Amino acid sequence: QDRMLALRYQDWKEYSEDISEVKTSQIHWIKSRNKCADTLCIEASYQQRLKEIGTSIRKIIRTREAEKEVEG
């Protein structure tokens, strides 16, 4: 799961225009994940983070598509 998250994080950085926001968000997530006391918590944390990153990427894509429609 760590590898999958790393790949999605890289995707997010590539799509985003605000890398500092992406990095700050990731740092906050890591701090939260590090508070987990067991594997179930860690697993849930990774699953939630993957969903969050996916949502962020989809939002960026939708925004760009809407901008293209307005320009076009």
Side-chain angles (χ1 to χ4, degrees):
Q1 243 187 338
D2 202 41
R3 180 77 176 135
M4 174 61 86
L5 185 61
L7 292 171
R8 294 303 288 163
Y9 177 68
Q10 285 302 118
D11 290 343
W12 188 23
K13 286 187 347 185
E14 290 175 18
Y15 277 103
S16 181
E17 294 179 5
D18 188 354
I19 299 300
S20 65
E21 180 183 333
V22 171
K23 288 180 179 180
T24 299
S25 176
Q26 189 71 356
I27 289 167
H28 287 291
W29 173 76
I30 291 169
K31 288 179 180 180
S32 174
R33 182 212 53 201
N34 286 347
K35 292 178 184 176
C36 285
D38 57 45
T39 56
L40 290 176
C41 176
I42 293 169
E43 177 74 23
S45 180
Y46 272 84
Q47 290 300 320
Q48 181 61 35
R49 188 62 176 159
L50 285 166
K51 287 179 188 177
E52 291 170 358
I53 291 173
T55 298
S56 294
I57 291 171
R58 285 189 298 277
K59 183 178 177 184
I60 292 167
I61 291 169
R62 282 194 307 270
T63 299
R64 289 184 184 166
E65 288 173 350
E67 289 171 352
K68 285 181 183 178
E69 286 180 15
V70 170
E71 292 173 0

